[in-house]
Amino acid sequence: MKAVCWEGKGKVRVETVPDPKILNPRDAIIKVTSTAICGSDLHLYDGYIPTMQKGDILGHEFMGEVVEVGSHVKNIKVGERVVVPFAIACGRCYFCQKGLWSCCDNSNPNAWMAEAAYGHSAAALFGYSHMFGGYAGGQAEYARVPFADVGPMAVPDGLDDEQVLFLTDIFPTGYMAAENCNIHEGDIVAVWGCGPVGQFAIRSAFLLGAERVIAIDQIPSRLALAAKARAETINFAETDVFEAIQEKTGGRGADSCIDAVGLEAHGHTVGAAYDRARAFVGLTTDRITAVRQAIMACRKGGTVSLPGVYGGLPDKFPLGAAFSKGLTLRMGQTHVHRYLKPLLERIQKNEIDPTVIITHRLKLDDAAHGYSTFHDDQDGCLKVVLKP
Ligand SMILES: [Zn+2]
Ligand SMILES: [Zn+2]
């Protein structure tokens, strides 16, 4: 089969690789019909995530038709169309039983690597380095889905792939980020980053009752899309973000702040230049401009929610500000399994149209072009969908 393989920093290539096989009675094989490039795939592309190996198959946002199931898989059938959560969860461990799917204790065969870095290992992820399990991803013609009796959800006819594809990651991720803000009627929510996750966080904040959402980015097309969803916008290349939020909130600060940027934050502040320099010489992996601003701009007693990916030991983290203002910090990989059904219902009820973020539709063969276009913010690129 054809698959998108990681070949080193800034290099991906479509290669011919062996077809996946059922290895375990709880596996399924999916014929991929649609897959997307995620912002967090760019962290792999940029070489920020350790333990990638040449030839690793990328991709954790994918859906398709079930073509084979192991003997223990009863919840999905051959021929059904399914969406697959990006985190792999066994469904039976202490964490899965508590609904903390992305904390699954059983899915990562390389848990020792993550334990060395983090104390404990979270769930394995599709196509996201050996530290996170070393599983082949779904930017391919076929994918093996472990614990398929737990993760994949069948999609009803009448919804096309593009309407449901983002249930695999970014819609639940933006939604959980907003849910983590514990939004009350009348709240003002500020969102850093108007990429795909930011766009879903903005829309989810409104769905959960926010009165106003302030969206922060520097790319005009992304700010325009945020404005279409009723967000007020701040272009950080032109405006001092803290001052602007102070002004918009009567000097109180935003009730909650969502950092949908993550470890590759851009910025024009002294802190941002410092982070870039340190990242360049390998002293730190995380550039934390966005989360720093979020903590500073959040009102006392508010919540800072981090859906953006962080991996390492960030420098100059304003813990003192967070403590002094009594902030709540919430973060982590999304418990996608928890959100599949409720968010599918919201799509069916037309409460949200996930397709508005798609800017590029390419053949799987053109994946390298998709990566570079998304990476370099060319051509108004916001979301690339690949069709095998
Ligand atoms: Zn993703
Ligand atoms: Zn588990």
Side-chain angles (χ1 to χ4, degrees):
M1 69 163 183
K2 285 184 194 168
V4 180
C5 297
W6 187 88
E7 296 296 335
K9 195 177 165 196
K11 264 186 277 176
V12 300
R13 200 162 53 208
V14 176
E15 293 187 40
T16 301
V17 301
D19 287 358
K21 288 192 174 65
I22 298 269
L23 301 178
N24 181 301
R26 297 176 69 189
D27 288 352
I29 304 293
I30 310 293
K31 181 181 196 295
V32 178
T33 53
S34 294
T35 174
I37 304 175
C38 179
S40 61
D41 288 329
L42 296 182
H43 303 325
L44 302 171
Y45 188 71
D46 280 333
Y48 280 109
I49 309 291
T51 73
M52 286 297 289
Q53 291 172 14
K54 261 192 169 189
D56 283 349
I57 299 172
L58 295 167
H60 59 265
E61 299 179 358
F62 63 97
M63 62 178 297
E65 186 192 325
V66 181
V67 291
E68 199 182 345
V69 292
S71 56
H72 292 186
V73 179
K74 307 290 180 207
N75 55 315
I76 53 170
K77 294 185 197 69
V78 169
E80 276 183 326
R81 199 166 52 119
V82 296
V83 288
V84 181
F86 74 89
I88 303 169
C90 78
R92 295 178 185 170
C93 72
Y94 174 88
F95 297 96
C96 287
Q97 291 291 312
K98 287 186 174 310
L100 300 170
W101 305 95
S102 72
C103 299
C104 175
D105 237 357
N106 282 332
S107 58
N108 187 355
N110 300 326
W112 64 273
M113 290 187 197
E115 283 164 3
Y118 300 142
H120 305 94
S121 172
L125 312 173
F126 285 101
Y128 216 78
S129 85
H130 290 264
M131 185 166 113
F132 292 108
Y135 291 97
Q139 287 167 9
E141 290 180 301
Y142 294 89
R144 178 174 79 95
V145 178
F147 302 121
D149 54 333
V150 174
M153 176 183 71
V155 180
D157 293 337
L159 290 168
D160 49 61
D161 276 20
E162 291 184 356
Q163 287 175 285
V164 294
L165 174 60
F166 304 134
L167 287 171
T168 59
D169 178 358
I170 54 174
F171 182 15
T173 296
Y175 190 87
M176 188 171 105
E179 201 178 65
N180 277 345
C181 289
N182 191 22
I183 294 168
H184 292 87
E185 294 285 324
D187 272 5
I188 304 176
V189 179
V191 179
W192 274 255
C194 299
V197 171
Q199 297 291 345
F200 280 112
I202 290 163
R203 287 158 176 78
S204 299
F206 280 125
L207 287 174
L208 291 167
E211 183 166 311
R212 294 166 60 199
V213 176
I214 301 169
I216 301 141
D217 205 295
Q218 65 172 343
I219 300 175
S221 58
R222 294 184 177 193
L223 288 169
L225 190 59
K228 266 195 183 164
R230 282 198 293 132
E232 302 161 38
T233 59
I234 298 173
N235 185 330
F236 71 77
E238 295 166 354
T239 309
D240 184 287
V241 174
F242 178 80
E243 291 300 331
I245 291 176
Q246 284 293 91
E247 205 167 293
K248 285 175 180 292
T249 59
R252 193 162 67 190
D255 295 297
S256 43
C257 294
I258 296 173
D259 166 12
V261 178
L263 62 84
E264 292 190 62
H266 296 276
H268 298 278
T269 60
V270 176
Y274 179 82
D275 288 340
R276 269 200 301 277
R278 284 178 63 88
F280 185 71
V281 297
L283 283 171
T284 178
T285 53
D286 297 354
R287 307 201 299 257
I288 63 164
T289 317
V291 66
R292 241 182 238 141
Q293 282 183 356
I295 286 173
M296 298 303 283
C298 192
R299 75 150 162 83
K300 289 177 279 185
T303 300
V304 173
S305 165
L306 310 179
V309 172
Y310 289 95
L313 303 165
D315 196 30
K316 300 259 189 301
F317 183 81
L319 190 58
F323 178 85
S324 170
K325 298 202 288 182
L327 302 185
T328 300
L329 302 185
R330 305 208 53 189
M331 62 194 85
Q333 295 285 11
T334 311
H335 304 299
V336 175
H337 299 60
R338 187 194 291 175
Y339 296 100
L340 288 177
K341 283 205 170 71
L343 296 187
L344 175 69
E345 279 174 24
R346 286 190 185 270
I347 295 168
Q348 287 175 306
K349 287 188 211 152
N350 282 322
E351 292 177 15
I352 185 162
D353 176 9
T355 65
V356 296
I357 66 162
I358 302 171
T359 53
H360 289 68
R361 297 166 172 89
L362 300 174
K363 291 199 177 108
L364 190 74
D365 281 322
D366 299 324
H369 175 63
Y371 269 86
S372 63
T373 304
F374 187 29
H375 179 266
D376 300 336
D377 295 327
Q378 288 168 353
D379 193 19
C381 188
L382 182 61
K383 192 68 180 177
V384 182
V385 173
L386 301 170
K387 295 274 183 187

